[in-house]
């Protein structure tokens, strides 16, 4: 199986800038060993199961709840049968159809 999960998470009760809090979450994502892509609006993580990524999201909540009273998050899931590697393959498929590399 292959799970692609895009999520964004940040406190709503803190400063206007959220990058320090996002950095704390991304440290966990990076240390997880799972493939991921950081984008300006969220992070896409790939794993064999949704549960692996939900465990990571739970760790992120635990990280932020120590000093944040309100945490906003949004999660999008694409789960399908087949091998992992779609994080790269989905982009490559579009580039193949265009006949050129995209500036992604």
């Amino acid at each position: 199986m292959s799970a692609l999960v895009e999520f964004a998470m940040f406190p709503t009760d803190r400063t206007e800038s959220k990058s320090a809090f996002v950095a704390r979450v991304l440290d966990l994502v990076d240390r997880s060993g799972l493939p991921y892509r950081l984008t300006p609006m969220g992070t896409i993580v790939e794993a064999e199961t949704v549960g692996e990524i939900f465990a990571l999201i739970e760790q992120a909540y635990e990280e932020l709840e120590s000093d944040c009273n309100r945490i906003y998050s949004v999660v999008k899931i694409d789960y399908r049968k087949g091998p992992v590697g779609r994080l790269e393959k989905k982009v490559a498929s579009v580039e193949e159809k265009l006949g050129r590399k995209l500036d992604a």
Side-chain angles (χ1 to χ4, degrees), residues 84-96:
V84 295
R86 293 188 306 134
L87 193 60
E88 303 292 334
K89 290 177 187 171
K90 288 173 77 76
V91 174
S93 177
V94 172
E95 290 175 336
E96 179 185 326

Side-chain angles (χ1 to χ4, degrees), residues 3-7 9 34 45 47 49-62 74-79:
L4 287 175
V5 176
E6 181 178 22
F7 78 102
M9 178 184 295
L34 295 172
V45 182
T49 68
V50 174
E52 290 175 84
I53 302 172
F54 281 172
L56 179 59
I57 291 171
E58 186 173 6
Q59 288 177 338
Y61 271 107
E62 290 168 359
V74 61
V75 179
K76 295 190 292 185
I77 303 166
D78 179 9
Y79 188 61

Side-chain angles (χ1 to χ4, degrees), residues 10-11 19 42 45 48 59-60 85 100:
F10 53 86
S19 60
V45 182
E48 290 185 10
Q59 288 177 338
R100 64 183 171 90

Side-chain angles (χ1 to χ4, degrees), residues 18 26 35 37 43 46 51 54 58 60 66 70 75-76 79 82 90 100-101:
K18 306 299 183 191
L26 262 291
R37 294 290 176 268
T43 303
E46 183 173 25
F54 281 172
E58 186 173 6
S66 65
R70 190 170 189 181
V75 179
K76 295 190 292 185
Y79 188 61
K90 288 173 77 76
R100 64 183 171 90
K101 288 280 192 187

Side-chain angles (χ1 to χ4, degrees), residues 8-65:
M9 178 184 295
F10 53 86
T12 59
D13 63 330
R14 308 304 269 177
T15 64
E16 182 176 335
S17 175
K18 306 299 183 191
S19 60
F21 299 99
V22 171
R24 288 166 51 188
V25 170
L26 262 291
D27 184 49
L28 293 170
V29 172
D30 189 57
R31 291 174 188 268
S32 75
L34 295 172
Y36 70 94
R37 294 290 176 268
L38 172 63
T39 75
M41 300 297 290
T43 303
I44 305 166
V45 182
E46 183 173 25
E48 290 185 10
T49 68
V50 174
E52 290 175 84
I53 302 172
F54 281 172
L56 179 59
I57 291 171
E58 186 173 6
Q59 288 177 338
Y61 271 107
E62 290 168 359
E63 169 63 30
L64 294 183
E65 72 182 0

